[in-house]
Amino acid sequence: MELAEAIGRFVPDGSAVATGTCLESMIPFAAGHEMIRQRRRDLTLIGPIADILFDQLIGAGCVVRIQAAWVGNVSAGLGYAYRRATEQGVPRSIVVEDYTNYTVALALWAGAHGMPFVPVRSGPGSDIVKDHPGFAEIASPFGGGRVPVVKAVRPDVAIIAVQRADAGGNAHLWSHFGITEEAGLAADRIVLLAEEIVDQSVILSDPNRVLFPAFMVCAVVHCPGGCHPSPVQGHYGRDHPFYGEYHHATRTPDGMAVWLERWVYGVPDRAAYLEALGRERWDALRRLRSAPAAPVDYAW
Amino acid sequence: MELAEAIGRFVPDGSAVATGTCLESMIPFAAGHEMIRQRRRDLTLIGPIADILFDQLIGAGCVVRIQAAWVGNVSAGLGYAYRRATEQGVPRSIVVEDYTNYTVALALWAGAHGMPFVPVRSGPGSDIVKDHPGFAEIASPFGGGRVPVVKAVRPDVAIIAVQRADAGGNAHLWSHFGITEEAGLAADRIVLLAEEIVDQSVILSDPNRVLFPAFMVCAVVHCPGGCHPSPVQGHYGRDHPFYGEYHHATRTPDGMAVWLERWVYGVPDRAAYLEALGRERWDALRRLRSAPAAPVDYAW
Amino acid sequence: MVAMPGLTPGEIMVTAAAREIRDGEVVFVGMRLPLIAFQLAKFTHAPRAVGIFENGIVRETPSQEFLLTMGDPPNVVGANMCTRMSVVMALLGRGRVDVGFIGGAEVDRFGNVNSSYIGPRSKPKVKLPGSGGACDIASLAGRLLVIMSHERHRLRDAVDYVTSPGFLRGRDQRQATGLPGGGPAALITTLGVFGFDAETGEAVLQSYHSGVSIDQIREQTGWPLRVSAAVRETSVPTSEEQAIIRRLDPQGFWTRQATG
Amino acid sequence: MVAMPGLTPGEIMVTAAAREIRDGEVVFVGMRLPLIAFQLAKFTHAPRAVGIFENGIVRETPSQEFLLTMGDPPNVVGANMCTRMSVVMALLGRGRVDVGFIGGAEVDRFGNVNSSYIGPRSKPKVKLPGSGGACDIASLAGRLLVIMSHERHRLRDAVDYVTSPGFLRGRDQRQATGLPGGGPAALITTLGVFGFDAETGEAVLQSYHSGVSIDQIREQTGWPLRVSAAVRETSVPTSEEQAIIRRLDPQGFWTRQATG
């Protein structure tokens, strides 16, 4: 499926969207940019640390609510769009529900199991849990005092990048997983962005690398380079300067508009974006040292 | 480390032991037999469905308590030793705390996180949760009625079979995982039985296949064939007739004694056990069809 | 399309069970008859059904070899996903499983199943293996299918011990308990097939297997038998179905012995 | 063994932080200075220390390349384990992590850290990125090490918002809250190193960096400074340590700028 169609069909206005769930890597920026291009509105964004993706969606006015542990620019500092929205309501005010990494992972885990809530290990003593609709304390039925809990979070859709998928939604993801499994299992449906589309036999040859049953996947989008500037293990490295450039460019609302015009509104799709990035820069990020996994045989 | 030393040092009398956590496959029978040979007493056995391993330990008088979802003989029927212990107190009476597969997985999950309890999705309406010290119901702080919960379970030790490990405790396990991850993370320490000992570089080449940090592993035992008669993907198939033979042989306490003498007390270690099994039978189980996993590159 | 000679109750049961699976459904598969029923459904009317095994396996294609347990290596090869039990249980917990199968030692007229204790729990006459995943499936699957050998001591008015809740003492009671799954949809025995009353949740005989009389069923049923007005003979397997069953269970290990 | 010329506060901080790590410990590593401190400890006195990253990585050897984020591909290659965040957080939750590092925008004299809101939450002057894993580490690690640029507006008597709990308003209060971790063990700033009073949980200056006076520290500290009777100059890096730091951060990205 084309990315525009996947976002058009499965991420309507008002959706609760979990994405950027691997933390600093494998962030499906292409999907975020498509939401911006389609002028999606009133989204709830759910994630741990989605680097500058959430800042961009906030700056473009797509977001009404954030349920996250961290929003900013991991290697360059604060997120100006996030600051403008929360401090000045520009381009619109947003509701921020702060979590910690561990508690947002657990909230999604509870959502994945259909549980109403789950105990957490952090929260007490922090102002994060004060006046927060998602946190409470209860008595333990087994003695030992009060137990902090977090309410389940269930995204409407999780948008997840993978190295390879087949057309039916079976996929392999490798490197660190962050909260990807919990977010996907908690969501009503999953949109996959795959660097490569492969034959089903490739995926089925190694079922331990599969995080989700294919019946939860509503769209498989072939989108090479879809995570730039974040890295994809085995495909491309992190474009560190891009984050600094974004940071400097988006200091003002006008700068944000210029940036969005250049990298989002001004390009119809990811292929055009990569062209705008320039062949040389993109090739440099794809010049990698091989690190093959030792063979495994599922002999039977 | 030799298996006898690992069991001697890390599984003292009175231990709570999680094992057989992959369900019907990769059951570390060799470790169970070593516990029997060392006349371990007052063990608590924790697991989902450990096929005939738990029945053997019960029959040998090693067990005081069972926390499991199922104890029997998966392909041949009931477990006679389990029946004798629970119905007649022979060779000794045992305490049975029944769980379901899902709830024992969750109890261990809570133990892995240091949580006192966790909500469960099953239990209400079942007699399993009645008069059970591990189950309770609490009010949800977010509305919506009573919520059933299970108390955390924390084994002293998890004994886990893997296909390959390095000497430092880094290991690869493939095929279905059952509740292995939860059990290992919940336990104070982990004993690994590995079909193969490999160089650390093999394990580190594919860190996604590693379930536990090496610092949790207190012993790595090289124990080829340690899971017979249960199967190990990539190494050997399931010895189906062995389960039927066990079933028929252990119908009476005397039969149990004869079986234990033949397969446990009468053999000093796993190598001798495999010899007693016979070269031909063992070779037949190792005649496998290859099913290699598609290559993965962690290129960077 | 007429069945081959030597039709067994196991083959009729497998066929009846297979027909309870609709195309595209997500099925929590058990071992023995349910596994063969799932595979039969895949090869006939439900090619897009998905099978889930509690050890952590998700498969869209049947295994290439006969399985004695779900952990047999052929069940891993060709699987779509091999993961932790808690992941596949989350699919159940989140309500994504349409149908689940369980067996047991006893069932009662509200579809409650006992696979734990015959006689009092404190001093059991027989200690059975326990729930495994049966209670989880019974509590959480959209529809529950129970497979049972039809004998009077197994089909009881009330089981000694509820391992896996059906409708408890009636649909209302299950609902009050807050169990998310839909409860028993069918009880498939060696003699016939029961549905469950839409109001009360009581088992109602829908069909009797070929060669079995309703009186025979009444005699082997430990509660006052209710019979549907539309009761009929259970559809026998077509020759195609029977051929598939015999290919799936070549030794008749599960389908040519007395019980599932 | 004398340090090379051009010693920076970053290099002194990294060295002080590295020395807080004992051999064989399990360390929840942050990025920037803590990462370099962990690597420095590995190359010197703590070769068996284990590093954990919240994205799901466990490593026993430092990455082969300079990292800007923990998700950079070089951090995956050579890792001992790459898994879910919830698995490494479980290690924290179960009490298996000896030491954790966090930074932030503000810290107060009880070691509470703010990385969320400057000014009131309803109308913040500055919205900071938030906790990430900082609150989890502060709540659950055996010992917490806080790294901070030492400026008067950052070292406050009480922070505007407690993102990551230190001792709250005293050790007793933290204990009453039931937080399992041990709380702050050291606050390492650009000017000196604080410990925390064993009774009250207040920050007490233990050492001042080379070239910094206690008066200067007092001036830049937003609470009435308490100074240890045994206060001394912070040990400067040995030339070996400094060489390692410069190899780990060749551009001085983290260690030759003002703050961690």
Side-chain angles (χ1 to χ4, degrees), chain A residues 163-164 173-177 206 208-209 232-236 288-294, chain B residues 172 202-210 294-300, chain D residues 57 72-83:
Chain A
Q163 279 93 346
R164 62 191 180 198
L173 171 57
W174 59 94
S175 84
H176 52 93
F177 301 132
D206 199 353
N208 282 159
R209 293 204 199 276
V232 174
Q233 200 84 30
H235 287 263
Y236 42 91
L288 305 180
R289 275 159 285 189
S290 178
Chain B
H172 283 174
V202 173
I203 306 299
L204 269 53
S205 77
D206 199 352
N208 282 159
R209 293 203 199 276
V210 176
V296 151
D297 196 334
Y298 286 88
W300 56 294
Chain D
I57 294 176
D72 291 358
N75 205 30
V76 170
V77 173
N80 293 66
M81 184 175 176
C82 275
T83 180

Short mmCIF file of all heavy atoms in Angstrom, two decimals, chain A residues 163-164 173-177 206 208-209 232-236 288-294, chain B residues 172 202-210 294-300, chain D residues 57 72-83:
data_model
loop_
_atom_site.label_atom_id
_atom_site.label_comp_id
_atom_site.label_asym_id
_atom_site.label_seq_id
_atom_site.Cartn_x
_atom_site.Cartn_y
_atom_site.Cartn_z
N GLN A 163 12.76 -3.55 9.32
CA GLN A 163 13.73 -3.73 8.24
C GLN A 163 13.09 -4.43 7.04
O GLN A 163 13.33 -4.07 5.91
CB GLN A 163 14.94 -4.54 8.72
CG GLN A 163 15.97 -3.71 9.47
CD GLN A 163 15.75 -3.72 10.96
OE1 GLN A 163 14.68 -4.12 11.44
NE2 GLN A 163 16.73 -3.27 11.72
N ARG A 164 12.28 -5.47 7.32
CA ARG A 164 11.71 -6.19 6.18
C ARG A 164 10.36 -6.80 6.55
O ARG A 164 10.15 -7.20 7.69
CB ARG A 164 12.67 -7.25 5.65
CG ARG A 164 13.02 -8.34 6.63
CD ARG A 164 14.19 -9.19 6.10
NE ARG A 164 14.54 -10.25 7.04
CZ ARG A 164 15.70 -10.92 7.03
NH1 ARG A 164 16.63 -10.63 6.13
NH2 ARG A 164 15.94 -11.86 7.91
N LEU A 173 12.03 -7.31 12.66
CA LEU A 173 12.63 -6.10 13.21
C LEU A 173 13.83 -6.56 14.01
O LEU A 173 13.73 -7.51 14.78
CB LEU A 173 11.61 -5.40 14.12
CG LEU A 173 12.08 -4.23 14.97
CD1 LEU A 173 12.70 -3.13 14.13
CD2 LEU A 173 10.90 -3.66 15.75
N TRP A 174 14.99 -5.93 13.81
CA TRP A 174 16.13 -6.25 14.68
C TRP A 174 16.80 -4.98 15.18
O TRP A 174 16.53 -3.91 14.70
CB TRP A 174 17.09 -7.23 14.03
CG TRP A 174 17.75 -6.86 12.74
CD1 TRP A 174 18.96 -6.27 12.57
CD2 TRP A 174 17.25 -7.12 11.41
NE1 TRP A 174 19.24 -6.14 11.24
CE2 TRP A 174 18.24 -6.65 10.50
CE3 TRP A 174 16.07 -7.70 10.91
CZ2 TRP A 174 18.08 -6.73 9.11
CZ3 TRP A 174 15.92 -7.77 9.53
CH2 TRP A 174 16.91 -7.30 8.65
N SER A 175 17.64 -5.16 16.16
CA SER A 175 18.24 -4.12 17.05
C SER A 175 17.31 -3.93 18.25
O SER A 175 16.38 -4.71 18.42
CB SER A 175 18.60 -2.83 16.33
OG SER A 175 17.52 -1.96 16.20
N HIS A 176 17.57 -2.94 19.08
CA HIS A 176 16.78 -2.77 20.31
C HIS A 176 15.32 -2.46 19.99
O HIS A 176 15.02 -1.82 18.99
CB HIS A 176 17.38 -1.66 21.18
CG HIS A 176 17.59 -0.40 20.42
ND1 HIS A 176 16.66 0.60 20.39
CD2 HIS A 176 18.59 0.00 19.61
CE1 HIS A 176 17.09 1.57 19.62
NE2 HIS A 176 18.27 1.24 19.12
N PHE A 177 14.40 -2.91 20.86
CA PHE A 177 12.97 -2.82 20.56
C PHE A 177 12.24 -1.69 21.28
O PHE A 177 11.11 -1.35 20.93
CB PHE A 177 12.28 -4.14 20.91
CG PHE A 177 12.84 -5.32 20.16
CD1 PHE A 177 13.17 -6.49 20.83
CD2 PHE A 177 13.06 -5.27 18.80
CE1 PHE A 177 13.68 -7.59 20.15
CE2 PHE A 177 13.58 -6.36 18.10
CZ PHE A 177 13.90 -7.53 18.79
N ASP A 206 12.37 -17.42 10.11
CA ASP A 206 12.91 -17.00 11.41
C ASP A 206 11.79 -16.35 12.23
O ASP A 206 11.77 -15.14 12.46
CB ASP A 206 14.07 -16.01 11.19
CG ASP A 206 14.96 -15.88 12.41
OD1 ASP A 206 14.60 -16.44 13.48
OD2 ASP A 206 16.00 -15.21 12.32
N ASN A 208 11.14 -16.14 15.26
CA ASN A 208 11.49 -15.45 16.52
C ASN A 208 11.69 -13.95 16.32
O ASN A 208 11.67 -13.20 17.29
CB ASN A 208 12.77 -16.02 17.12
CG ASN A 208 12.57 -17.33 17.85
OD1 ASN A 208 13.52 -18.08 18.05
ND2 ASN A 208 11.33 -17.63 18.25
N ARG A 209 11.91 -13.51 15.09
CA ARG A 209 12.12 -12.08 14.85
C ARG A 209 10.82 -11.34 14.57
O ARG A 209 10.85 -10.16 14.24
CB ARG A 209 13.07 -11.87 13.68
CG ARG A 209 14.49 -12.34 13.95
CD ARG A 209 15.48 -11.62 13.06
NE ARG A 209 16.73 -12.32 12.96
CZ ARG A 209 17.73 -12.21 13.86
NH1 ARG A 209 17.61 -11.41 14.91
NH2 ARG A 209 18.84 -12.90 13.69
N VAL A 232 18.45 3.07 10.93
CA VAL A 232 17.87 1.73 10.82
C VAL A 232 19.03 0.74 10.73
O VAL A 232 19.77 0.75 9.73
CB VAL A 232 16.96 1.62 9.58
CG1 VAL A 232 16.48 0.17 9.40
CG2 VAL A 232 15.76 2.55 9.71
N GLN A 233 19.18 -0.06 11.75
CA GLN A 233 20.29 -1.03 11.79
C GLN A 233 20.28 -1.87 10.52
O GLN A 233 19.25 -2.40 10.11
CB GLN A 233 20.12 -1.94 13.01
CG GLN A 233 21.39 -2.64 13.44
CD GLN A 233 22.26 -1.75 14.32
OE1 GLN A 233 21.74 -0.89 15.06
NE2 GLN A 233 23.57 -1.93 14.27
N GLY A 234 21.45 -1.95 9.90
CA GLY A 234 21.55 -2.75 8.68
C GLY A 234 21.21 -1.98 7.42
O GLY A 234 21.41 -2.49 6.31
N HIS A 235 20.68 -0.77 7.56
CA HIS A 235 20.28 -0.01 6.37
C HIS A 235 20.93 1.37 6.28
O HIS A 235 21.50 1.71 5.27
CB HIS A 235 18.76 0.10 6.29
CG HIS A 235 18.13 -1.20 5.90
ND1 HIS A 235 17.76 -1.50 4.62
CD2 HIS A 235 17.85 -2.31 6.63
CE1 HIS A 235 17.27 -2.73 4.56
NE2 HIS A 235 17.31 -3.25 5.77
N TYR A 236 20.86 2.15 7.34
CA TYR A 236 21.53 3.46 7.31
C TYR A 236 21.77 3.97 8.72
O TYR A 236 21.12 3.55 9.67
CB TYR A 236 20.76 4.51 6.48
CG TYR A 236 19.27 4.53 6.65
CD1 TYR A 236 18.64 5.33 7.61
CD2 TYR A 236 18.46 3.75 5.82
CE1 TYR A 236 17.26 5.36 7.74
CE2 TYR A 236 17.07 3.76 5.95
CZ TYR A 236 16.48 4.58 6.91
OH TYR A 236 15.12 4.60 7.04
N LEU A 288 27.94 1.35 5.17
CA LEU A 288 27.99 0.68 6.47
C LEU A 288 29.02 -0.43 6.51
O LEU A 288 29.41 -0.96 5.48
CB LEU A 288 26.61 0.09 6.80
CG LEU A 288 25.41 1.04 6.77
CD1 LEU A 288 24.15 0.28 7.10
CD2 LEU A 288 25.60 2.20 7.74
N ARG A 289 29.41 -0.76 7.74
CA ARG A 289 30.23 -1.95 7.95
C ARG A 289 29.30 -3.12 8.26
O ARG A 289 28.42 -3.00 9.12
CB ARG A 289 31.15 -1.72 9.15
CG ARG A 289 32.44 -1.01 8.77
CD ARG A 289 33.06 -0.37 9.98
NE ARG A 289 32.32 0.85 10.36
CZ ARG A 289 32.74 1.72 11.28
NH1 ARG A 289 33.86 1.50 11.95
NH2 ARG A 289 32.02 2.80 11.56
N SER A 290 29.51 -4.22 7.62
CA SER A 290 28.66 -5.38 7.80
C SER A 290 28.89 -6.01 9.18
O SER A 290 30.00 -5.99 9.71
CB SER A 290 28.98 -6.40 6.71
OG SER A 290 28.20 -7.56 6.89
N ALA A 291 27.83 -6.53 9.77
CA ALA A 291 27.93 -7.22 11.07
C ALA A 291 26.89 -8.34 11.08
O ALA A 291 25.85 -8.25 11.73
CB ALA A 291 27.69 -6.25 12.21
N PRO A 292 27.17 -9.40 10.32
CA PRO A 292 26.16 -10.46 10.15
C PRO A 292 25.90 -11.25 11.43
O PRO A 292 26.83 -11.53 12.19
CB PRO A 292 26.76 -11.36 9.07
CG PRO A 292 28.23 -11.09 9.11
CD PRO A 292 28.42 -9.68 9.58
N ALA A 293 24.65 -11.59 11.64
CA ALA A 293 24.28 -12.47 12.75
C ALA A 293 24.77 -13.88 12.46
O ALA A 293 24.73 -14.32 11.32
CB ALA A 293 22.77 -12.47 12.93
N ALA A 294 25.23 -14.56 13.50
CA ALA A 294 25.64 -15.96 13.34
C ALA A 294 24.44 -16.76 12.85
O ALA A 294 23.30 -16.51 13.26
CB ALA A 294 26.15 -16.51 14.67
N HIS B 172 21.93 -17.95 23.40
CA HIS B 172 20.88 -17.89 22.37
C HIS B 172 19.88 -19.01 22.58
O HIS B 172 20.26 -20.17 22.72
CB HIS B 172 21.48 -18.06 20.97
CG HIS B 172 22.17 -16.84 20.44
ND1 HIS B 172 22.86 -16.83 19.26
CD2 HIS B 172 22.24 -15.57 20.93
CE1 HIS B 172 23.34 -15.61 19.04
NE2 HIS B 172 23.00 -14.83 20.04
N VAL B 202 30.00 -15.33 18.81
CA VAL B 202 28.80 -15.90 18.17
C VAL B 202 27.55 -15.32 18.82
O VAL B 202 26.61 -14.89 18.13
CB VAL B 202 28.80 -17.45 18.30
CG1 VAL B 202 27.48 -18.03 17.81
CG2 VAL B 202 29.98 -18.04 17.57
N ILE B 203 27.53 -15.27 20.13
CA ILE B 203 26.35 -14.75 20.83
C ILE B 203 26.20 -13.25 20.58
O ILE B 203 25.11 -12.77 20.24
CB ILE B 203 26.44 -15.04 22.35
CG1 ILE B 203 26.69 -16.52 22.62
CG2 ILE B 203 25.18 -14.54 23.05
CD1 ILE B 203 25.64 -17.46 22.13
N LEU B 204 27.29 -12.52 20.69
CA LEU B 204 27.21 -11.07 20.54
C LEU B 204 26.87 -10.64 19.11
O LEU B 204 26.44 -9.51 18.89
CB LEU B 204 28.52 -10.41 21.01
CG LEU B 204 28.53 -10.00 22.49
CD1 LEU B 204 28.16 -11.13 23.42
CD2 LEU B 204 29.85 -9.37 22.88
N SER B 205 27.03 -11.56 18.16
CA SER B 205 26.70 -11.20 16.77
C SER B 205 25.19 -11.07 16.58
O SER B 205 24.75 -10.54 15.56
CB SER B 205 27.23 -12.27 15.81
OG SER B 205 26.40 -13.43 15.83
N ASP B 206 24.41 -11.54 17.53
CA ASP B 206 22.95 -11.50 17.37
C ASP B 206 22.28 -11.28 18.74
O ASP B 206 21.66 -12.18 19.30
CB ASP B 206 22.48 -12.83 16.74
CG ASP B 206 21.10 -12.72 16.12
OD1 ASP B 206 20.44 -11.67 16.32
OD2 ASP B 206 20.67 -13.68 15.46
N PRO B 207 22.42 -10.06 19.26
CA PRO B 207 21.96 -9.80 20.63
C PRO B 207 20.45 -9.87 20.80
O PRO B 207 19.96 -9.94 21.93
CB PRO B 207 22.50 -8.39 20.92
CG PRO B 207 22.70 -7.76 19.59
CD PRO B 207 23.07 -8.88 18.66
N ASN B 208 19.69 -9.90 19.70
CA ASN B 208 18.23 -10.04 19.81
C ASN B 208 17.81 -11.44 20.28
O ASN B 208 16.69 -11.63 20.71
CB ASN B 208 17.55 -9.76 18.48
CG ASN B 208 17.43 -8.29 18.15
OD1 ASN B 208 17.26 -7.92 17.00
ND2 ASN B 208 17.51 -7.42 19.16
N ARG B 209 18.70 -12.41 20.15
CA ARG B 209 18.33 -13.77 20.57
C ARG B 209 18.68 -14.04 22.04
O ARG B 209 18.53 -15.16 22.50
CB ARG B 209 19.05 -14.80 19.71
CG ARG B 209 18.59 -14.80 18.27
CD ARG B 209 18.86 -16.13 17.61
NE ARG B 209 18.85 -16.04 16.16
CZ ARG B 209 17.74 -16.10 15.42
NH1 ARG B 209 16.57 -16.25 15.98
NH2 ARG B 209 17.83 -16.00 14.11
N VAL B 210 19.16 -13.03 22.72
CA VAL B 210 19.58 -13.22 24.11
C VAL B 210 18.43 -12.83 25.03
O VAL B 210 17.87 -11.74 24.91
CB VAL B 210 20.83 -12.35 24.41
CG1 VAL B 210 21.23 -12.47 25.87
CG2 VAL B 210 21.98 -12.77 23.48
N ALA B 294 16.84 -17.00 7.64
CA ALA B 294 17.36 -16.06 6.65
C ALA B 294 18.41 -15.17 7.31
O ALA B 294 18.28 -14.80 8.48
CB ALA B 294 16.23 -15.21 6.08
N PRO B 295 19.46 -14.82 6.58
CA PRO B 295 20.51 -13.98 7.17
C PRO B 295 19.98 -12.61 7.62
O PRO B 295 19.04 -12.08 7.05
CB PRO B 295 21.51 -13.80 6.02
CG PRO B 295 21.21 -14.88 5.05
CD PRO B 295 19.75 -15.19 5.20
N VAL B 296 20.62 -12.11 8.66
CA VAL B 296 20.33 -10.76 9.17
C VAL B 296 21.67 -10.05 9.33
O VAL B 296 22.63 -10.64 9.81
CB VAL B 296 19.58 -10.85 10.50
CG1 VAL B 296 19.86 -9.65 11.39
CG2 VAL B 296 18.08 -10.97 10.25
N ASP B 297 21.72 -8.82 8.90
CA ASP B 297 22.94 -8.03 9.04
C ASP B 297 22.66 -6.84 9.98
O ASP B 297 21.76 -6.06 9.73
CB ASP B 297 23.40 -7.53 7.67
CG ASP B 297 24.84 -7.05 7.69
OD1 ASP B 297 25.32 -6.63 8.77
OD2 ASP B 297 25.49 -7.09 6.63
N TYR B 298 23.43 -6.78 11.07
CA TYR B 298 23.32 -5.63 11.99
C TYR B 298 24.27 -4.51 11.52
O TYR B 298 24.86 -3.81 12.35
CB TYR B 298 23.72 -6.05 13.41
CG TYR B 298 22.71 -6.90 14.16
CD1 TYR B 298 22.72 -8.28 14.04
CD2 TYR B 298 21.78 -6.32 15.01
CE1 TYR B 298 21.82 -9.07 14.75
CE2 TYR B 298 20.88 -7.09 15.73
CZ TYR B 298 20.91 -8.46 15.59
OH TYR B 298 20.01 -9.24 16.31
N ALA B 299 24.41 -4.36 10.21
CA ALA B 299 25.40 -3.40 9.68
C ALA B 299 25.20 -2.02 10.30
O ALA B 299 24.09 -1.60 10.59
CB ALA B 299 25.24 -3.34 8.16
N TRP B 300 26.34 -1.32 10.49
CA TRP B 300 26.32 -0.04 11.21
C TRP B 300 27.25 0.97 10.56
O TRP B 300 28.14 0.63 9.85
CB TRP B 300 26.75 -0.27 12.67
CG TRP B 300 28.08 -0.93 12.81
CD1 TRP B 300 28.43 -2.20 12.43
CD2 TRP B 300 29.27 -0.37 13.35
NE1 TRP B 300 29.73 -2.46 12.71
CE2 TRP B 300 30.28 -1.36 13.29
CE3 TRP B 300 29.57 0.88 13.92
CZ2 TRP B 300 31.58 -1.14 13.74
CZ3 TRP B 300 30.86 1.10 14.38
CH2 TRP B 300 31.86 0.10 14.29
N ILE D 57 19.25 -2.05 25.46
CA ILE D 57 20.59 -2.58 25.20
C ILE D 57 21.32 -2.86 26.52
O ILE D 57 21.27 -2.06 27.45
CB ILE D 57 21.40 -1.58 24.35
CG1 ILE D 57 20.77 -1.45 22.95
CG2 ILE D 57 22.87 -1.98 24.26
CD1 ILE D 57 21.43 -0.42 22.05
N ASP D 72 22.22 4.84 18.47
CA ASP D 72 23.12 4.82 17.30
C ASP D 72 23.54 3.39 17.00
O ASP D 72 23.87 2.63 17.92
CB ASP D 72 24.36 5.67 17.57
CG ASP D 72 24.03 7.17 17.64
OD1 ASP D 72 22.86 7.53 17.45
OD2 ASP D 72 24.95 7.96 17.91
N PRO D 73 23.58 3.02 15.72
CA PRO D 73 23.91 1.63 15.37
C PRO D 73 25.19 1.07 16.00
O PRO D 73 25.21 -0.12 16.33
CB PRO D 73 23.95 1.67 13.83
CG PRO D 73 22.93 2.70 13.49
CD PRO D 73 23.10 3.77 14.54
N PRO D 74 26.24 1.87 16.21
CA PRO D 74 27.41 1.25 16.86
C PRO D 74 27.12 0.73 18.27
O PRO D 74 27.85 -0.13 18.76
CB PRO D 74 28.43 2.40 16.93
CG PRO D 74 27.93 3.46 16.02
CD PRO D 74 26.47 3.25 15.82
N ASN D 75 26.08 1.23 18.90
CA ASN D 75 25.78 0.78 20.26
C ASN D 75 25.09 -0.59 20.26
O ASN D 75 25.03 -1.25 21.30
CB ASN D 75 24.89 1.81 20.98
CG ASN D 75 25.03 1.74 22.49
OD1 ASN D 75 26.11 1.39 22.99
ND2 ASN D 75 23.97 2.07 23.21
N VAL D 76 24.57 -0.99 19.13
CA VAL D 76 23.92 -2.30 19.01
C VAL D 76 24.95 -3.39 18.71
O VAL D 76 24.86 -4.50 19.22
CB VAL D 76 22.83 -2.25 17.91
CG1 VAL D 76 22.30 -3.64 17.59
CG2 VAL D 76 21.70 -1.32 18.34
N VAL D 77 25.92 -3.01 17.88
CA VAL D 77 26.93 -4.00 17.46
C VAL D 77 27.87 -4.28 18.64
O VAL D 77 28.43 -3.37 19.23
CB VAL D 77 27.69 -3.49 16.23
CG1 VAL D 77 28.85 -4.40 15.90
CG2 VAL D 77 26.73 -3.37 15.05
N GLY D 78 28.00 -5.53 18.96
CA GLY D 78 28.82 -5.91 20.11
C GLY D 78 28.07 -5.87 21.43
O GLY D 78 28.65 -6.16 22.48
N ALA D 79 26.78 -5.53 21.40
CA ALA D 79 25.99 -5.57 22.63
C ALA D 79 25.80 -7.01 23.07
O ALA D 79 25.79 -7.93 22.26
CB ALA D 79 24.63 -4.92 22.40
N ASN D 80 25.65 -7.20 24.38
CA ASN D 80 25.38 -8.54 24.90
C ASN D 80 23.93 -8.93 24.71
O ASN D 80 23.58 -10.11 24.64
CB ASN D 80 25.71 -8.61 26.38
CG ASN D 80 27.18 -8.47 26.62
OD1 ASN D 80 27.75 -7.42 26.36
ND2 ASN D 80 27.82 -9.54 27.08
N MET D 81 23.07 -7.93 24.64
CA MET D 81 21.63 -8.20 24.63
C MET D 81 20.93 -6.97 24.07
O MET D 81 21.27 -5.84 24.43
CB MET D 81 21.22 -8.44 26.08
CG MET D 81 19.79 -8.84 26.31
SD MET D 81 19.60 -9.23 28.10
CE MET D 81 17.83 -9.54 28.12
N CYS D 82 20.02 -7.20 23.16
CA CYS D 82 19.16 -6.11 22.65
C CYS D 82 17.74 -6.59 22.80
O CYS D 82 17.34 -7.56 22.15
CB CYS D 82 19.43 -5.85 21.18
SG CYS D 82 20.78 -4.74 20.91
N THR D 83 16.97 -5.90 23.59
CA THR D 83 15.65 -6.41 23.92
C THR D 83 14.67 -5.26 24.06
O THR D 83 14.89 -4.17 23.53
CB THR D 83 15.75 -7.27 25.20
OG1 THR D 83 14.48 -7.79 25.54
CG2 THR D 83 16.30 -6.48 26.37
#
